[in-house]
């Protein structure tokens, strides 16, 4: 769904039970095509089709920014990178960005930080409901099919594409979680720092948040920005009195 020229929210239907739509973002200008977050394992083809609907060939992607390590944000990353980089020279290969604290988890050098014994048991039960092809993609996330983060991001850094993408370190959901402020569009890509429902913002979800105290503290940082709209990965696009809505959760 195109929001403005150069900015679209992708409505990605889940391929697992008990999850609503998720909302990666596509940004573009004369030089760059940027995807923010990469869905669940097994969603590569769906993401590619959504990118095509916005008028781009997936092979034209130049950057992917990952807000954090959770499986529903990195699940199709390795396969997307493999597809986009196919037969490209080294200097033209896609760049993958994340906060430095998230890099080892995204690259499967460490077990995801939220994978407790209870969580692993729950995931085993969920995997049992998937097709063999879907289970294979999940298995590959922790085996040889590992994505590489090519560049790390820091708080306050601005990527010079799409009118300026300002990185905000919103720790809490995970230690290296980032949100992204689109200066040109006065829009915040919240990742999972915020959620949404019924057209309104909701605070950090305590069930899925690593450190709720830090998550609420990070929301204070967002009040420094002139935000007219927020894209929540879970819940989609929200507008109207954003500052006042965020204050409800601090």
């Amino acid at each position: 769904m195109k929001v403005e020229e150069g900015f679209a929210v992708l409505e990605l239907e889940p391929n697992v039970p008990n999850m609503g739509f998720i909302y990666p973002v596509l940004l573009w200008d004369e030089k760059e095509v940027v995807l923010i977050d990469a869905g669940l394992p097994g969603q590569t083809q769906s993401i590619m089709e959504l990118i095509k609907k916005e008028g781009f060939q997936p092979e034209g992607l130049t950057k992917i920014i990952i807000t954090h390590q959770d499986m529903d944000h990195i699940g199709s990353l390795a396969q997307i990178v493999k597809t986009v980089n196919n037969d490209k020279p080294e200097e033209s290969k896609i760049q993958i960005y994340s906060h430095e604290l998230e890099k080892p988890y995204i690259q499967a050098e460490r077990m995801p930080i939220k994978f407790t014994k209870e969580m692993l048991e729950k995931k085993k039960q969920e995997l049992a409901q998937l097709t063999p092809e879907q289970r294979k993609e999940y298995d590959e996330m922790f085996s040889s099919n590992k994505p590489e983060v090519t560049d790390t991001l820091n708080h306050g850094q601005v990527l010079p594409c799409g009118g300026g993408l300002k990185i905000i370190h919103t720790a809490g959901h995970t230690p290296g979680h980032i949100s992204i402020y689109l200066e040109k569009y006065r829009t915040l890509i919240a990742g999972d720092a915020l959620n949404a429902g019924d057209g309104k913002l909701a605070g950090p979800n305590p069930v899925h948040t690593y450190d709720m105290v830090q998550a609420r503290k990070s929301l204070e940082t967002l009040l420094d920005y002139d935000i007219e709209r927020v894209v929540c990965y879970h819940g989609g696009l929200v507008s109207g009195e954003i500052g006042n809505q965020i204050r409800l959760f601090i």
Side-chain angles (χ1 to χ4, degrees):
M1 177 186 71
K2 183 184 288 186
V3 181
E4 292 189 42
E5 184 59 37
F7 168 31
V9 177
L10 307 183
E11 298 176 285
L12 183 59
E13 186 173 1
N15 59 356
V16 296
N18 305 316
M19 179 180 283
F21 275 75
I22 51 181
Y23 297 89
V25 169
L26 191 71
L27 303 166
W28 64 91
D29 60 19
E30 304 81 18
K31 296 181 179 179
E32 306 273 9
V33 182
V34 181
L35 176 68
I36 301 178
D37 285 328
L40 290 153
Q43 291 194 298
T44 301
Q45 192 58 40
S46 296
I47 293 171
M48 298 296 194
E49 289 302 319
L50 290 172
I51 291 172
K52 288 178 182 177
K53 283 184 178 180
E54 298 302 331
F56 298 94
Q57 291 302 312
E59 293 77 11
L61 281 173
T62 56
K63 291 178 171 61
I64 300 177
I65 302 173
I66 299 296
T67 59
H68 63 290
Q69 64 189 264
D70 285 353
M71 191 178 297
D72 56 335
H73 294 253
I74 69 168
S76 290
L77 177 60
Q79 190 60 44
I80 292 171
V81 171
K82 182 178 179 181
T83 301
V84 171
N85 281 345
N86 186 36
D87 295 329
K88 279 189 176 182
E90 193 65 35
E91 64 273 12
S92 299
K93 289 185 176 179
I94 193 168
Q95 295 171 286
I96 310 302
Y97 292 79
S98 79
H99 193 279
E100 60 184 348
L101 293 176
E102 300 295 287
K103 179 177 179 177
Y105 300 99
I106 294 168
Q107 295 186 159
E109 296 166 2
R110 296 182 186 173
M111 185 66 74
I113 199 166
K114 300 176 194 172
F115 270 30
T116 61
K117 183 179 179 181
E118 292 76 19
M119 177 66 79
L120 287 170
E121 185 58 37
K122 181 181 178 182
K123 289 298 179 188
K124 283 174 62 178
Q125 295 172 8
E126 291 175 353
L127 288 174
Q129 302 178 54
L130 303 181
T131 65
E133 292 79 11
Q134 288 173 324
R135 286 199 296 273
K136 180 181 178 183
E137 291 223 28
Y138 273 83
D139 290 340
E140 286 178 344
M141 284 184 64
F142 303 103
S143 58
S144 59
N145 191 22
K146 299 175 183 178
E148 177 188 358
V149 174
T150 60
D151 299 88
T152 56
L153 299 166
N154 297 303
H155 179 73
Q157 184 175 346
V158 178
L159 296 180
C161 52
L165 313 183
K166 190 159 189 176
I167 305 305
I168 308 171
H169 184 201
T170 44
H173 187 78
T174 63
H177 185 286
I178 59 169
S179 301
I180 302 156
Y181 180 60
L182 311 182
E183 297 181 311
K184 178 178 178 180
Y185 304 104
R186 296 182 180 178
T187 298
L188 178 75
I189 311 303
D192 286 355
L194 290 162
N195 296 279
D198 298 323
K200 296 182 179 180
L201 291 179
N205 186 336
V207 175
H208 301 295
T209 298
Y210 182 70
D211 184 336
M212 276 297 293
V213 173
Q214 183 62 58
R216 292 185 184 279
K217 186 176 180 181
S218 289
L219 295 182
E220 296 180 18
T221 306
L222 302 179
L223 298 177
D224 295 334
Y225 297 86
D226 180 16
I227 302 171
E228 294 185 353
R229 294 176 293 209
V230 178
V231 181
C232 300
Y233 199 68
H234 300 280
L237 189 65
V238 177
S239 59
E241 298 186 347
I242 296 300
N244 289 335
Q245 290 194 60
I246 291 174
R247 287 184 181 91
L248 295 174
F249 313 116
I250 295 174

